Amino acid sequence: MQDATAQMAMLQFISSGLPKVAVPSTIHCDHLIEAQVGGEKDLRRAKDINEEVYKFLASAGAKYGVGFWRPGSGIIHQIILENYAYPGALLIGTDSHTPNGGGLGAICIGVGGADAVDVMAGIPWELKCPKVIGVKLTGSLSGWSSPKDVILKVAGILTVKGGTGAIVEYHGPGVESISCTGMATICNMGAEIGATTSVFPYNHRMRTYLTKTGRKEIASLAEEYKGLLVPDPGCHYDQVIEINLNELKPLINGPFTPDLAHSVAEVGAVAEKEGWPVDIKVGLIGSCTNSSYEDMGRSAAVAKQALDHGLKCKSQFTITPGSEQIRATIERDGYAQILRDVGGVVLANACGPCIGQWDRKDIKKGDKNTIVTSYNRNFTGRNDANPETHAFVTSPEIVTALAIAGTLKFNPETDFLTGKDGKKFKLEPPNADELPKTNFDPGQDTYQHPPKDGSGQRVDVSPTSQRLQLLDPFDKWDGKDLEDLQILIKVKGKCTTDHISAAGPWLKFRGHLDNISNNLLIGAINIENGKANSVRNAVTQEFGPVPDTARYYKKHGIRWVVIGDENYGEGSSREHAALEPRHLGGRAIITKSFARIHETNLKKQGLLPLTFADPADYNKIHPVDKLTIQGLKDFAPGKPLTCIIKHPNGTQETILLNHTFNEGQIEWFRAGSALNRMKELQQ
């Protein structure tokens, strides 16, 4: 669990009444550290601001048997790769980029906090049987091409929902040219195509990485059983994509969506044609996707060439090490200093700007600008809360080259820079060690192991706290159909979990359900007026913020529903996007389609995620209508529900709504939530 999701997961586990977790579990403090001026100062500030939350997580971990990685340890997925993932493992994590561990041949799947609570409670974790998409890699990476380009290419092919309901399995001779951390990069960003997870077959790169990170015994065991850790001969895939790595050119995807793929050679011309700013304000490298030793080394190799010609970055430049171990090692080996010398600022070992934890000062909100990152996600407002920031995703070495040039129109494969001496030169493709020649420097010890017996440990949550709030059970289903549901909002277009429950400054309320509910759907576009955070109150007929309108309905006993578009809830795994509508009186979310994690999260909290049997029925519903959902008394797997649309003029229409509930999940709905059902079973 990362610290933003761990708060709610641990609050739910406390509510379960169980004395200790049933499986090995850890908490990682990486989300609450805001990037402002630099690593050490930002970390000190975060420890001060978040002291209450860190104490809660540390004490809850000690009481319930959960390991605690203190702030400054690093980003959860890099730490998992360095310490916990191994070939053949099954891990679940409360973050959508958990599949990073597939770079070590592990099946690592992102889930919501309620799923994590089930597992920590010893309840079997369920997953709808996935399809398997095979990505066959031939040839080998060389020059400016990198592992990031593989997943950027796949994202361009499959789009942000093309992997939904599927595991992506990479295979073929091209795998051998990719480092272990490079494979992790590819698996990590599989979240951007909606994949359940991604995985690579076991090979010598994994063996080397395991040995270098102190797990030689696991490497030996994997070698002994490697026949079980590779694709079976003649295995069948539901879909196959082939990529020749010899032909793969550096890519840059964006803006506003991670599946809009361009070659680096062409993006400048496309930007000019589309009216996107070509001048780059900031280049940012790091994040859970690209912050390995190799990533930092390749970026430093590019930076060193610029320095040798007397150049520094024209754009602002930030560097985020993936873990304390990476930070300490790149300091020891000189990479960090090279990146500073070229104009970079080394930030704390944390998520930072990748998740919106960025106190950005160089522009004002509303200023149209371009940034390039080595991150994974670039939805509108994701990094800096500015809807006019055009964010592009690419490899760390391309980010570095573009930050030096200062423009999207620069192609390092063909274009020249002018050195301080006035002579033109071309950057050579970067070359760097996959792993340090000597051992990693572990840096500071930031891990707290739970005591054998934590029963005497006290976990305090102040009733007046603005950061933490103990949970009250959600109300149980009353056994009746849902009649005359008011439409809170009919969403137009893309609606990610960032739109439903914004991050950035809202992260501080992740442990306080009522406070964080003030961000409910504030980023979603209302089809009625084309505006964000402006919906009609059906009683007063006045337009106002979405959370205020929901609270009004709740206060007056009006149950409501949200109407959504395609792939509703894509993006982060944050279950607050499901908790908040439930807390404020929502009963159902009806869409054309759902992202996997969000659909499960909604079920866990006793909400009904339903899809139109005919997607065109989305157009039949208007924000002023009322809906009645019938058939809940005979709620059964595979059996559609009936929806009656009541128009203000007195006319009605009937449509069918599909669902993916199984028997156990229907019991969650009847009990009011999965947690309520867990308590029923205990009793």
Side-chain angles (χ1 to χ4, degrees):
M1 298 165 281
Q2 39 93 337
D3 51 353
T5 48
Q7 295 171 63
M8 194 55 68
M10 292 309 295
L11 286 165
Q12 290 180 87
F13 188 81
I14 291 169
S15 298
S16 75
L18 295 169
K20 197 170 184 179
V21 295
V23 300
S25 307
T26 52
I27 294 167
H28 303 258
C29 295
D30 62 358
H31 271 56
L32 300 180
I33 302 166
E34 185 180 50
Q36 194 177 61
V37 294
E40 290 185 15
K41 289 182 179 179
D42 291 348
L43 181 57
R44 282 199 301 271
R45 179 169 170 265
K47 287 179 178 178
D48 181 52
I49 292 172
N50 303 307
E51 181 181 17
E52 179 186 17
V53 172
Y54 292 146
K55 281 185 175 179
F56 165 72
L57 293 174
S59 59
K63 185 172 182 65
Y64 296 105
V66 179
F68 180 70
W69 289 83
R70 299 183 188 95
S73 301
I75 306 172
I76 177 171
H77 309 303
Q78 182 67 27
I79 293 177
I80 295 296
L81 200 71
E82 292 172 355
N83 296 274
Y84 298 114
Y86 60 87
L90 171 65
L91 286 84
I92 66 165
T94 61
D95 190 276
S96 55
H97 294 102
T98 300
N100 193 75
L104 263 178
I107 297 292
C108 301
I109 300 178
V111 299
D115 271 356
V117 174
D118 277 1
V119 174
M120 291 191 291
I123 295 172
W125 176 66
E126 294 183 346
L127 176 72
K128 185 179 179 182
C129 188
K131 295 180 179 179
V132 183
I133 297 173
V135 179
K136 184 178 181 181
L137 303 178
T138 59
S140 61
L141 290 172
S142 62
W144 285 93
S145 297
S146 72
K148 186 66 163 278
D149 297 312
V150 176
I151 186 58
L152 293 177
K153 179 74 172 178
V154 171
I157 295 169
L158 289 178
T159 77
V160 290
K161 64 176 185 174
T164 302
I167 286 177
V168 180
E169 183 178 296
Y170 292 85
H171 62 283
V175 169
E176 297 301 315
S177 73
I178 305 173
S179 67
C180 178
T181 51
M183 290 187 272
T185 290
I186 294 167
C187 292
N188 175 297
M189 204 176 151
E192 269 39 77
I193 57 171
T196 300
T197 193
S198 302
V199 67
F200 274 83
Y202 175 76
N203 67 3
H204 71 282
R205 303 274 194 161
M206 297 182 191
R207 180 182 70 231
T208 303
Y209 185 81
L210 286 165
T211 302
K212 205 74 171 179
T213 51
R215 294 172 287 173
K216 188 175 181 180
E217 295 86 353
I218 294 176
S220 297
L221 194 64
E223 278 292 309
E224 186 179 347
Y225 291 99
K226 62 184 177 183
L228 301 177
L229 302 169
V230 297
D232 297 330
C235 62
H236 171 75
Y237 296 99
D238 296 284
Q239 179 182 352
V240 176
I241 297 168
E242 291 197 29
I243 298 174
N244 184 344
L245 301 181
N246 292 335
E247 300 172 355
L248 189 63
K249 290 292 185 180
L251 295 169
I252 182 168
N253 288 21
F256 306 128
T257 185
D259 59 353
L260 184 58
H262 320 275
S263 71
V264 171
E266 297 170 345
V267 70
V270 174
E272 286 189 318
K273 179 183 175 184
E274 297 291 339
W276 304 331
V278 294
D279 290 340
I280 297 167
K281 287 287 187 183
V282 193
L284 306 99
I285 66 168
S287 90
C288 63
T289 314
N290 277 114
S291 56
S292 67
Y293 183 81
E294 181 183 32
D295 288 327
M296 296 295 159
R298 284 174 68 88
S299 292
V302 175
K304 180 71 164 55
Q305 295 179 60
L307 288 169
D308 289 345
H309 288 84
L311 296 186
K312 289 193 174 188
C313 291
K314 287 186 178 178
S315 310
Q316 292 185 42
F317 186 43
T318 71
I319 301 98
T320 306
S323 68
E324 170 61 9
Q325 180 167 271
I326 295 296
R327 183 208 62 79
T329 307
I330 65 170
E331 288 286 1
R332 181 197 69 192
D333 294 353
Y335 291 166
Q337 192 55 51
I338 291 171
L339 295 169
R340 287 192 193 96
D341 290 345
V342 84
V345 175
V346 179
L347 301 174
N349 315 322
C351 300
C354 182
I355 59 160
Q357 282 285 57
W358 186 13
D359 185 18
R360 190 177 180 189
K361 302 290 190 186
D362 64 302
I363 59 158
K364 295 184 179 71
K365 191 168 183 177
D367 287 354
K368 195 173 180 180
N369 74 103
T370 284
I371 65 173
V372 292
T373 82
S374 70
Y375 302 163
N376 42 47
R377 199 160 276 169
N378 60 345
F379 300 138
T380 303
R382 166 80 177 180
N383 303 119
D384 61 2
N386 180 9
E388 289 299 324
T389 293
H390 294 57
F392 293 84
V393 177
T394 185
S395 67
E397 50 266 49
I398 292 293
V399 171
T400 307
L402 293 179
I404 291 164
T407 174
L408 286 177
K409 295 170 74 174
F410 178 70
N411 176 12
E413 287 192 304
T414 59
D415 296 346
F416 288 80
L417 294 168
T418 303
K420 194 174 182 180
D421 58 4
K423 295 180 180 178
K424 291 188 177 295
F425 72 98
K426 204 168 85 169
L427 293 170
E428 295 298 321
N431 188 30
D433 291 331
E434 175 182 341
L435 294 163
K437 289 185 170 65
T438 56
N439 290 332
F440 279 104
D441 183 338
Q444 300 178 41
D445 183 6
T446 54
Y447 176 66
Q448 172 188 296
H449 194 73
K452 285 187 178 180
D453 182 7
S455 57
Q457 175 72 43
R458 184 178 176 84
V459 180
D460 286 328
V461 177
S462 169
T464 60
S465 172
Q466 294 301 301
R467 298 288 301 271
L468 298 163
Q469 180 186 45
L470 292 173
L471 297 172
D472 292 322
F474 287 133
D475 58 310
K476 192 172 181 176
W477 177 54
D478 61 9
K480 300 176 183 177
D481 287 337
L482 296 172
E483 296 186 352
D484 292 330
L485 295 171
Q486 190 63 56
I487 295 168
L488 176 66
I489 182 173
K490 182 179 178 182
V491 178
K492 178 183 178 182
K494 186 186 282 283
C495 191
T496 72
T497 48
D498 279 316
H499 293 90
I500 304 166
S501 176
W506 293 96
L507 282 171
K508 59 179 174 285
F509 298 125
R510 283 288 181 88
H512 198 293
L513 179 55
D514 195 56
N515 280 346
I516 199 169
S517 292
N518 288 321
N519 75 3
L520 175 65
L521 285 158
I522 61 175
I525 301 300
N526 179 12
I527 200 167
E528 187 175 4
N529 57 11
K531 295 180 180 179
N533 202 24
S534 175
V535 294
R536 184 194 302 271
N537 183 314
V539 178
T540 68
Q541 293 301 306
E542 295 176 355
F543 280 84
V546 182
D548 293 1
T549 308
R551 287 187 187 277
Y552 180 96
Y553 290 160
K554 181 180 180 180
K555 181 180 178 181
H556 291 84
I558 300 169
R559 298 184 293 187
W560 51 264
V561 61
V562 170
I563 307 300
D565 212 318
E566 293 276 9
N567 206 27
Y568 184 92
E570 69 175 281
S572 299
S573 69
R574 69 189 62 141
E575 64 181 320
H576 297 77
L579 282 158
E580 292 174 33
R582 182 71 162 98
H583 174 63
L584 294 184
R587 284 295 180 266
I589 312 292
I590 305 172
T591 72
K592 293 180 182 177
S593 62
F594 285 98
R596 174 188 63 85
I597 298 176
H598 186 61
E599 182 178 13
T600 301
N601 285 348
L602 291 167
K603 292 178 184 177
K604 289 275 184 177
Q605 304 308 334
L607 279 154
L608 290 171
L610 306 171
T611 56
F612 297 105
D614 179 357
D617 288 344
Y618 168 88
N619 299 316
K620 293 180 179 178
I621 297 176
H622 305 287
V624 292
D625 295 336
K626 288 188 177 181
L627 306 181
T628 291
I629 298 173
Q630 296 180 333
L632 292 173
K633 292 178 182 179
D634 301 315
F635 200 9
K639 186 176 180 181
L641 298 171
T642 300
C643 177
I644 299 173
I645 307 168
K646 300 178 181 179
H647 302 301
N649 63 6
T651 61
Q652 296 185 2
E653 293 183 75
T654 300
I655 62 173
L656 290 180
L657 301 174
N658 291 333
H659 65 85
T660 60
F661 282 84
N662 60 31
E663 289 286 0
Q665 293 167 346
I666 288 172
E667 292 304 318
W668 300 343
F669 170 74
R670 288 176 176 147
S673 71
L675 189 58
N676 289 0
R677 180 59 177 160
M678 184 193 300
K679 290 179 181 177
E680 286 181 356
L681 293 171
Q682 283 180 330
Q683 292 163 0

